[in-house]
Amino acid sequence: MKLGIVGLPNVGKSTLFNVLTSAGAQSANYPFCTIEPNVGVASVPDTRLHALAELYHPAKLTPAVIEFVDIAGLVRGASKGEGLGNKFLSNIREVDAVLHVVRCFEDDDIIHVEGGINPARDIETVNLELIFSDMELLERRVERGTKALKGDKSIAAELELCRRLYAHLEAGQPARTFARTEAEDVLLREIALITAKPVIYVCNFSESDFSRLAQKIEAHGNYRVVAEIAARERAEVLPICAELEAQVAELPAEERGAFLVELGVESGGLARLVQKSYALLGLISYLTAGQPEVRAWTIRRGTKAPQAAGKIHSDFERGFIRAEIIPFADLIANGGLPAAREKGLVRSEGKEYVMQDGDVVLFRFNV
């Protein structure tokens, strides 16, 4: 999974990126300190892997991973050359989803490029710049397509779609709200518009406001504003305190859980972000386990067994025979595979089996 991070300057993007990836990206109190795109990778937290490791004592433990791409802050007019953000938008055209960081904290010592906190205005500013960038891409695509149309009538459908998409964007609407057929959806994914990506609005709060929100003492006004915008766009919302997450990351691992409980949250920001991202993108994980390696594999919900096997190696899919499957909970409850087999809990599934989250699987194949 690959996620792109966008937002205005000084909203906490680089701080959040550092927390998620421990990559040490530059973070400072002035616009455009992130000159080059930052790219980092984080392991997906999954307690099931550690439980399997206690059973199998593997030589290697391999979690699923997420790649994060953090670009320079966008400002009003970025699509016309203002600031640095538009220069790097191409770096997030291939991501699976966009994390839009929204500043919801007050701090006189940290400059706000628009002069003050206003999540609705800030979201609109960034979204419009993304829309303008997509419109520019569509203009170039239509221009090339129109020239090629004389010799290739097969691109007429794509041209017609691009023109309707352009009109939709011109009305100030992101491409993800554009009504389309299944065939048009395939074309839309090929075009790689940023505003067609699923979005998680990450509300960056102060420590006190986040704590009150987490403990449901108070529904913060800024959170309600962002949640209403997200609901209209069918997007997700994640409240977070990036500075607090940075403090938690510095604690010894054994102390982090108790600290989070005091705040009224069950897990850290990365785990909650992963949960939101998987739900938004329709992803699940299946597991493989043995003494050589215990590993998590990310697939789309609805994936059948042969295609899931192909995630490991193309030969597994090509020569697929069957999948031996046991739900993670059953495996752990019985203390391992031998006892689970005795109880008939290990199933043999064929090519039409749809994989479930938490399936522990051994693929049988022959090539």
Side-chain angles (χ1 to χ4, degrees), residues 102-217:
V102 183
R103 179 170 169 175
C104 294
F105 65 89
E106 298 280 357
D107 191 330
D108 293 338
D109 294 329
I110 299 179
I111 300 165
H112 192 295
V113 292
E114 294 280 2
I117 306 301
N118 186 328
R121 177 205 59 210
D122 294 351
I123 287 172
E124 181 181 31
T125 297
V126 171
N127 281 349
L128 282 176
E129 296 308 321
L130 297 178
I131 284 172
F132 291 149
S133 179
D134 281 349
M135 289 172 66
E136 185 180 337
L137 183 146
L138 285 174
E139 284 175 355
R140 294 196 300 269
R141 200 170 182 105
V142 167
E143 184 178 352
R144 290 195 304 268
T146 301
K147 292 177 181 177
L149 186 61
K150 296 175 183 177
D152 184 2
K153 300 299 182 182
S154 65
I155 63 172
E158 181 185 326
L159 269 176
E160 193 269 337
L161 174 64
C162 286
R163 291 188 177 111
R164 285 193 292 119
L165 263 172
Y166 188 91
H168 183 80
L169 295 172
E170 197 171 31
Q173 299 299 313
R176 59 184 168 275
T177 64
F178 178 75
R180 66 264 193 184
T181 65
E182 287 187 14
E184 289 174 337
D185 191 54
V186 173
L187 276 174
L188 184 56
R189 286 198 297 271
E190 291 176 0
I191 297 171
L193 298 179
I194 299 173
T195 63
K197 311 289 183 187
V199 171
I200 299 175
Y201 286 108
V202 181
C203 303
N204 190 12
F205 287 96
S206 66
E207 183 175 339
S208 59
D209 284 340
F210 176 73
S211 180
R212 292 174 67 82
L213 186 65
Q215 297 178 43
K216 297 181 173 58
I217 296 172

Side-chain angles (χ1 to χ4, degrees), residues 29 55 155 208 218 240 248 250 290 347:
N29 181 24
L55 278 180
I155 63 172
S208 59
E218 178 183 10
I240 203 168
V248 172
E250 293 177 357
R347 308 189 314 272

Side-chain angles (χ1 to χ4, degrees), residues 263-282:
L263 291 172
V265 293
E266 296 179 359
S267 55
L270 177 59
R272 290 184 291 119
L273 177 59
V274 167
Q275 186 179 31
K276 291 277 187 182
S277 301
Y278 272 52
L280 186 68
L281 295 170

Side-chain angles (χ1 to χ4, degrees), residues 3-14:
L3 303 177
I5 305 176
V6 303
L8 295 175
N10 296 347
V11 298
K13 292 192 307 94
S14 294

